[in-house]
Amino acid sequence: MEGLKKSHQGLVHDKARHEASHKSLSERVDYLEEVTQHLAEQQRRENSEAKAKLEHLQGRLAQYEQHMPSIAEMQRALTGLASDKATTETHHSTLRERVDF
């Protein structure tokens, strides 16, 4: 009978240890679900912020592209002015040479 009591106590102890392990496993799963949810929320937030920044940059790029023809026209005008200035300076130097001569 004594052996049966020891065996029963062993089974009760094993059952308690198994239940503690099972509870621990359940707690671990709950923790992993919380972490996963937190990371998913964080990822959604970061994606939303990145999308907003990208839309802002696309708007700025669209504004820049609207002004590209004007900028190109100004660059051509500036090149023309630089050429005119060089021609005028050449003309002035020849005029000085004539006066000094």
Side-chain angles (χ1 to χ4, degrees), residues 77-90:
L78 183 61
T79 302
L81 288 173
S83 176
D84 290 347
K85 180 182 177 194
T87 302
T88 303
E89 287 176 351
T90 303

Side-chain angles (χ1 to χ4, degrees), residues 26-42:
S26 175
E27 289 173 352
R28 285 185 236 158
V29 169
D30 289 344
Y31 171 74
L32 289 174
E33 287 176 348
E34 284 180 32
V35 168
T36 302
Q37 286 176 348
H38 174 73
L39 290 174
E41 289 173 14
Q42 182 180 2

Side-chain angles (χ1 to χ4, degrees), residues 3 62-63 92:
Q63 289 175 345
H92 282 209

Side-chain angles (χ1 to χ4, degrees), residues 15-51:
K15 181 182 175 198
R17 189 169 35 96
H18 174 70
E19 287 175 353
S21 172
H22 181 71
K23 184 177 181 182
S24 174
L25 181 62
S26 175
E27 289 173 352
R28 285 185 236 158
V29 169
D30 289 344
Y31 171 74
L32 289 174
E33 287 176 348
E34 284 180 32
V35 168
T36 302
Q37 286 176 348
H38 174 73
L39 290 174
E41 289 173 14
Q42 182 180 2
Q43 188 67 39
R44 271 187 242 118
R45 196 171 36 253
E46 289 174 359
N47 284 345
S48 177
E49 291 172 1
K51 184 179 177 183

